[in-house]
Amino acid sequence: MYLRHLQLGSFRNWDRVDLALRPGPTVFVGRNGEGKTNLVEAVGYLATMGSHRVAGDAPLVRQGASQAVVRAALRREDRELLVEIEINPGRANRVRVNRAPLARPRELLGLVKSVLFAPEDLVLVRGDPAERRRFLDDLLVSRTPRLAGVRSDYDRVLKQRNALLKTARMARGNALATLDVWDGHLVDLGGQLLAARLRLVADLAPHVTRAYAGVAGADAAVAALGYASTVPLAGDGTPVPEGTTLPTAGEFSAALRERVAERRNEEVDRGMTLVGPHRDDLVISLGSMPAKGFASHGESWSLALALKLGCFALLRADGDEPILVLDDVFATLDADRRAALAAVARSAEQSLVTAAVLDDVPPELRSTVVQVAGGQAVPLDPEAAEDGAVREEVT
Ligand SMILES: Nc1ncnc2c1ncn2[C@@H]1O[C@H](COP(=O)(O)OP(=O)(O)OP(=O)(O)O)[C@@H](O)[C@H]1O
Ligand SMILES: [Mg+2]
């Protein structure tokens, strides 16, 4: 799939931008703070309905405006897809696909496939488990849109159950009876989420291992993925061997039910739900060691890149050609890693690359360059861009 046209209104620093795009690589170049990342953030928003930089929607709306609009024309094989999102912080967003309003904005999820790699992705390796859970669940939903409902229902049940546990702590008794009902929902939805996450980790792992070898070189340690769960059946973090038969959602539910029963008293004492997919983690390892706490800065960076390239390869293997977005990443890579990433970017149906300095981007990706400056995005003649780059270096 590729983005044929992108229009933003009151999105971040953009008052209005209207941009025609082509398949193949496009580089957005411009000085720091001109709005390059903001442009590609909007592309990421089309896929995940979230930003890779902030948790809520409010920062995405241009200061002084009350709503932001992202409008995109996408081409998938020979079909055209028009997606329009109104971002209304504090109120429900509104989404239209081919001019028909969606009953729920989350119905958009899974329609636009894109994989975004940015400096922020270092937190996938070094940050809290919550970052990795979000990474897994976003990819899950992108592959299996039905799970968007399961994820949000699970979150809702968890909130209710936690609220109830807090009351139960004060007045044991009645609240505990109601708790059984919530346990039922938690166990049912949690089992579905666990099954889906385990399937995903098993499917993604070989792609990440391969991508890491491609990025870090064949003689580097082997990168692997495991799942560490509060439900023992769902994994202890060791790599999931290829070809393993995984338990079913029903089996995960049963195991979760058992754990919930075991820890009931502790949960009431602490007033929170202590077991379930919301407490789990994706374990990224390098050789025999977990990456978090052990991997060097360069290794962590390469692992983050391999995770995203793994997603790209997985979606591709599913039969969807995702848009590859690379935000400000070439400047920090060494020559070999640049070349490895450039090869992937060139193979993508469309890749959108941002850089402050055009020379940091491998020449084979510079066929289409868009200059971002002064609130405008203007396509440059590639030869003029080359000249510009040379002149800048000379003067
Ligand atoms: N909601 C908003 N309203 C107005 N301006 C905003 C908003 N959010 C961010 N900005 C501004 O957008 C500007 C551009 O941000 P962006 O991150 O896209 O820059 P960039 O071109 O990627 O820069 P760099 O090369 O440093 O990565 C920043 O100066 C920021 O202050
Ligand atoms: Mg940027």
Side-chain angles (χ1 to χ4, degrees), residues 31-38 40 53 119-120 327-328 354-356:
R31 297 164 59 94
N32 296 137
E34 292 287 351
K36 305 177 296 295
T37 299
N38 295 344
V40 293
R53 298 200 281 189
E120 285 79 5
D327 181 31
D328 215 2
T354 77

Side-chain angles (χ1 to χ4, degrees), residues 165 169 172 264-272:
L165 281 167
R169 194 171 40 172
R172 287 173 192 256
R264 165 68 68 95
N265 286 337
E266 207 184 330
E267 288 194 329
V268 173
D269 285 343
R270 294 181 51 188
M272 62 197 282

Side-chain angles (χ1 to χ4, degrees), residues 217-250:
D219 48 356
V222 174
L225 298 183
Y227 190 78
S229 183
T230 43
V231 181
L233 180 68
D236 59 2
T238 51
V240 185
E242 247 184 294
T244 340
T245 316
L246 296 167
T248 62

